[in-house]
Amino acid sequence: MLYADKRALETNLQVSLLKIREKELQFYTQNCIAIGTQAALLSGFAYNGIIQVDIPTDQSDWLKTLYLCVTTAAMGFELIAVLNSTLCSMLGPGLALRGPDGSMHRAVDG
């Protein structure tokens, strides 16, 4: 009887721990979705900065090149942020649900 009580207590503890880890995973997933949304918006702004901004022709060539390089780099980094946040928000919960034992901890901790 004592052994059964011990096993029941251990099981209840593991279930409680998994509930906490699930809340953490949902928190991180929502943060990744928010980061992806903001990065997509800023990437659109950078794209408009490349396409629609008219640089005066009397400006020096190095200034035009610098503007285009910085804007293109900003758009590229923001698209990388969109990709990473999308992958994390999609694959993290999948690992937690379908992975081997202990995969919930791996999905939350990284």
Side-chain angles (χ1 to χ4, degrees):
M1 187 63 159
L2 188 59
Y3 182 72
D5 289 341
K6 179 183 174 187
R7 294 292 294 169
L9 183 63
E10 287 176 352
T11 302
N12 289 337
L13 180 65
Q14 287 179 347
V15 168
S16 298
L17 182 61
L18 283 176
K19 287 180 183 178
I20 292 170
R21 294 301 251 181
E22 182 182 9
K23 288 180 182 179
E24 281 183 294
L25 183 64
Q26 289 175 353
F27 174 74
Y28 291 140
T29 302
Q30 292 301 319
N31 283 346
C32 282
I33 290 170
I35 289 170
T37 303
Q38 293 171 6
L41 178 71
L42 293 174
S43 179
F45 289 155
Y47 178 75
N48 281 334
I50 293 171
I51 299 300
Q52 293 184 357
V53 172
D54 292 328
I55 302 172
T57 56
D58 60 342
Q59 294 295 325
S60 62
D61 288 338
W62 70 269
L63 188 61
K64 293 177 191 177
T65 304
L66 180 67
Y67 173 76
L68 290 175
C69 287
V70 168
T71 308
T72 304
M75 187 177 72
F77 289 135
E78 288 157 358
L79 289 175
I80 289 171
V82 169
L83 176 70
N84 285 338
S85 65
T86 302
L87 287 176
C88 287
S89 65
M90 285 176 30
L91 297 178
L95 173 66
L97 289 174
R98 293 181 292 276
D101 288 338
S103 60
M104 174 65 92
H105 301 297
R106 183 173 174 217
V108 172
D109 291 337

